[in-house]
Amino acid sequence: MTFLQRSSAKGVPPVPFETEDNNIEGVADIVLLEPVTEDAFVANLKKRYKHRRIYTYLGNVLLSVNPYCDIPIYTPEYIDRYRSRNLYELPPHIFAIADDAYRSMRDRNLDQCIIISGESGSGKTEASKLVMRYVAAVSVKGHRIDKIKSMLLQSNPLLEAFGNAKTMKNDNSSRFGKYMDIEFDFKGEPLGGIITNYLLEKSRVAVQPPGERNFHIFYQVLGGADVSHLKSLRLSRNPEKYRLLNNHDSYIADTIDDKAAFLATKAAMEAVGFRPEEVQEVLTIVAGVLKIGNVEFQPVSNIDGSEGCLLIKEYGGSAVYI
């Protein structure tokens, strides 16, 4: 469950707003729940979830239950419905939170903060993207503004490539914390943004738990780069050849298209301002990390009694004395 606070069945049509009934579908705001007990709280969320109501208010806090499927409630029509509406005028929705924050910032000149928290797999990454999508859709249009919006939106696939990984709970789990600061002018036009990352799970590069993968970017490069590009990076397409990727033979993720994701990552890098040579430099570093992961050292004792080692030239290959 994801919590959003301010300081989906594929092909199934959405339930019309006007048909929401608290008696049938549960209470839309937990504040109105009677009695207020843990059992009643959970039962209300279950009742709403059964009716595809994944959002529930707790005052000005939005509770979200991940449906683990596509629900068509994020279309442009939904953006239009929630635009410039009071927070409790329509059923609970992440667009309502985003709209209330945006209008408070634009009309009342008040800084806004949306905190998204929850356990792994609860939908935090998707929630943050939906907030950004809504703000981009309702803010002022213009060539310069659209370019800034594109850069802000394209930052997501780039961050996910280098900071997300497949885990036992979630195929696109963020392995870092993110603070995004978007600046607006007095008209509500986005001027730019700053993204601060923290607590990156760096240890995942070297070791992954059973059934989990390394960061997406490694598999994207191997699966998405064409033959000539792989040759220039001196890489093989087979992830089994790299120690950092085959700790537990879990380099395949059925729900992830690494080839398509690689193209999206390259497009995102270009959109946020990377020059072609800088993109190549970054991918060269990624290739270098994979190659370094194949370096092995074998401890030996020298003739004089001191400690030495053998350097394994290639993963599973011959050794040389150093």
Side-chain angles (χ1 to χ4, degrees):
M1 184 163 58
T2 302
F3 299 83
L4 290 91
Q5 181 180 15
R6 288 202 307 115
S7 232
S8 328
K10 191 172 183 180
V12 177
V15 181
F17 294 129
E18 294 75 18
T19 64
E20 179 156 330
D21 187 327
N22 286 346
N23 294 325
I24 297 176
E25 302 175 358
V27 178
D29 191 338
I30 299 295
V31 172
L32 304 176
L33 186 66
E34 289 287 347
V36 183
T37 64
E38 181 177 348
D39 290 341
F41 179 90
V42 174
N44 186 69
L45 292 180
K46 286 183 177 180
K47 179 186 286 187
R48 292 183 60 77
Y49 183 81
K50 287 181 179 179
H51 290 85
R52 303 190 190 95
R53 301 292 187 181
I54 65 171
Y55 294 119
T56 306
Y57 285 133
L58 177 56
N60 64 349
V61 177
L62 181 69
L63 309 179
S64 171
V65 180
N66 193 339
Y68 289 101
C69 62
D70 294 328
I71 299 181
I73 59 174
Y74 308 109
T75 61
E77 290 76 18
Y78 271 75
I79 292 177
D80 291 337
R81 285 178 175 178
Y82 279 90
R83 184 171 184 172
S84 299
R85 306 293 286 269
N86 292 328
L87 183 61
Y88 303 107
E89 188 175 349
L90 294 173
H93 200 289
I94 191 171
F95 288 165
I97 296 292
D99 183 77
D100 191 48
Y102 176 73
R103 288 190 294 113
S104 296
M105 176 275 302
R106 183 195 61 191
D107 301 338
R108 302 170 59 193
N109 197 29
L110 296 175
D111 291 339
Q112 300 295 306
C113 180
I114 298 178
I115 300 174
I116 303 176
S117 62
E119 66 176 11
S120 178
S122 61
K124 299 183 297 297
T125 298
E126 294 303 315
S128 65
K129 289 191 288 188
L130 289 170
V131 170
M132 292 181 62
R133 185 199 302 178
Y134 183 86
V135 172
V138 301
S139 56
V140 182
K141 303 294 189 293
H143 178 70
R144 182 182 65 85
I145 301 303
D146 290 343
K147 183 177 180 181
I148 294 175
K149 292 179 185 178
S150 176
M151 293 178 66
L152 292 173
L153 294 175
Q154 287 295 329
S155 66
N156 283 308
L158 183 55
L159 290 173
E160 291 178 13
F162 287 88
N164 287 26
K166 175 185 179 296
T167 65
M168 294 298 293
K169 291 186 176 182
N170 183 5
D171 282 356
N172 190 34
S173 177
S174 298
R175 313 314 302 165
F176 64 100
K178 177 175 64 176
Y179 176 79
M180 177 173 289
D181 185 356
I182 304 177
E183 301 291 336
F184 296 83
D185 66 9
F186 68 97
K187 294 180 293 184
E189 297 180 359
L191 300 175
I194 299 174
I195 301 175
T196 303
N197 302 320
Y198 55 93
L199 299 178
L200 178 65
E201 188 188 26
K202 299 178 182 178
S203 60
R204 180 170 290 271
V205 173
V207 180
Q208 305 90 45
E212 299 191 2
R213 299 207 313 175
N214 211 317
F215 292 109
H216 292 327
I217 187 61
F218 297 114
Y219 307 93
Q220 290 179 9
V221 172
L222 298 185
D226 57 37
V227 176
S228 60
H229 197 176
L230 282 178
K231 187 175 181 180
S232 69
L233 296 173
R234 299 185 178 182
L235 291 176
S236 167
R237 196 174 298 279
N238 186 0
E240 294 183 10
K241 293 188 175 181
Y242 301 100
R243 175 183 289 272
L244 298 182
L245 305 184
N246 67 355
N247 286 344
H248 304 286
D249 296 327
S250 56
Y251 45 83
I252 298 176
D254 295 333
T255 62
I256 298 176
D257 186 342
D258 291 317
K259 183 175 181 179
F262 177 70
L263 298 177
T265 299
K266 286 187 64 180
M269 296 176 74
E270 296 170 358
V272 300
F274 281 74
R275 298 191 301 273
E277 58 270 22
E278 291 175 329
V279 173
Q280 180 63 19
E281 289 173 1
V282 171
L283 297 180
T284 300
I285 293 173
V286 172
V289 172
L290 287 177
K291 300 289 283 186
I292 290 175
N294 282 355
V295 175
E296 293 183 282
F297 295 93
Q298 179 180 338
V300 296
S301 297
N302 297 325
I303 297 177
D304 59 4
S306 62
E307 295 182 350
C309 67
L310 292 175
L311 172 64
I312 309 300
K313 296 172 63 177
E314 287 291 342
Y315 183 36
S318 59
V320 295
Y321 177 80
I322 58 172

